[in-house]
């Protein structure tokens, strides 16, 4: 029984994130957000350690069994290294998810989902969020960076149509 609940929860989370990616990650100007160039990766690593590592791991490895809901029904924090799905999402989704939190970001899409990801708005500036995301991106192999860049381009093209 627990396995089927875990599978359903993982499927719902996957569908929600695919819907978020497909729609460009939001509405209005936030959906067109793209990571700025020339961000300080060393500062991003420090900020990641301070704000993200306690859940997502010091080495971006995520929590164990991150694809299965925990006792509270929430999915554990996923890895941000190449083994996770972070690189599957365009810049706008990554930014909004970090700034607003999972629940609020998905609610903007009309999706009700009890995400454990808190919003960091008010704790981090937009520039600091981008700096953390740039650090995370810098750790991925070229193939993952290229795939994520293509998803960002597709999201921007979708937003422009």
């Amino acid at each position: 029984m627990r396995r089927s609940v875990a599978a359903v929860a993982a499927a719902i989370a996957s569908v929600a994130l695919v819907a978020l990616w497909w729609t460009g990650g939001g509405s209005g100007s936030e959906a067109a957000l793209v990571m700025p160039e020339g961000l300080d990766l060393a500062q991003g690593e420090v900020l990641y350690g301070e704000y993200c590592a306690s859940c997502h791991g010091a080495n971006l490895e995520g929590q164990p069994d991150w694809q299965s809901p925990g006792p509270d029904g929430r999915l554990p924090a996923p890895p941000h290294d190449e083994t996770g799905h972070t690189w599957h999402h365009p810049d706008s989704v990554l930014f909004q998810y970090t700034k607003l939190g999972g629940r609020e970001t998905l609610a903007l899409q009309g999706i009700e989902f009890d995400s454990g990801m808190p919003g960091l708005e008010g704790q981090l500036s937009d520039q600091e969020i981008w700096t953390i995301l740039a650090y995370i991106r810098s750790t991925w192999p070229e193939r993952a960076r290229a795939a994520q860049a293509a998803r960002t381009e597709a999201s921007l093209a979708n937003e422009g149509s």
Side-chain angles (χ1 to χ4, degrees):
M1 176 69 171
R2 183 163 191 245
R3 257 201 163 107
S4 62
V5 170
V8 169
I12 290 170
S14 296
V15 168
L17 289 171
V18 167
L20 187 63
W21 170 75
W22 185 257
T23 61
S27 58
S29 63
E30 284 193 289
L33 292 173
V34 178
M35 187 178 298
E37 305 239 349
L39 296 167
D40 183 344
L41 299 180
Q43 180 190 23
E45 184 175 14
V46 169
L47 290 168
Y48 175 87
E50 187 176 339
Y51 289 92
C52 311
S54 64
C55 293
H56 293 281
N59 296 310
L60 298 97
E61 72 275 13
Q63 294 177 337
D65 300 321
W66 63 274
Q67 293 176 313
S68 299
D72 62 359
R74 291 180 173 174
L75 291 169
H80 286 316
D81 62 15
E82 69 179 292
T83 67
H85 58 77
T86 307
W87 60 271
H88 295 195
H89 304 292
D91 287 349
S92 58
V93 170
L94 299 177
F95 180 83
Q96 283 186 314
Y97 219 84
T98 306
K99 182 173 182 168
L100 303 176
R103 184 186 307 216
E104 182 63 30
T105 299
L106 292 170
L108 290 172
Q109 299 298 308
I111 300 166
E112 188 176 323
F113 184 72
D114 187 17
S115 170
M117 174 65 186
L120 296 175
E121 185 173 32
Q123 296 178 57
L124 293 169
S125 69
D126 289 359
Q127 182 78 10
E128 289 171 323
I129 292 170
W130 285 122
T131 301
I132 291 168
L133 294 172
Y135 161 69
I136 292 169
R137 180 192 288 179
S138 76
T139 68
W140 301 333
E142 178 54 37
R143 140 192 88 67
R145 286 194 308 270
Q148 194 272 335
R151 285 175 171 90
T152 296
E153 288 298 320
S155 175
L156 292 170
N158 184 40
E159 185 65 25
S161 352

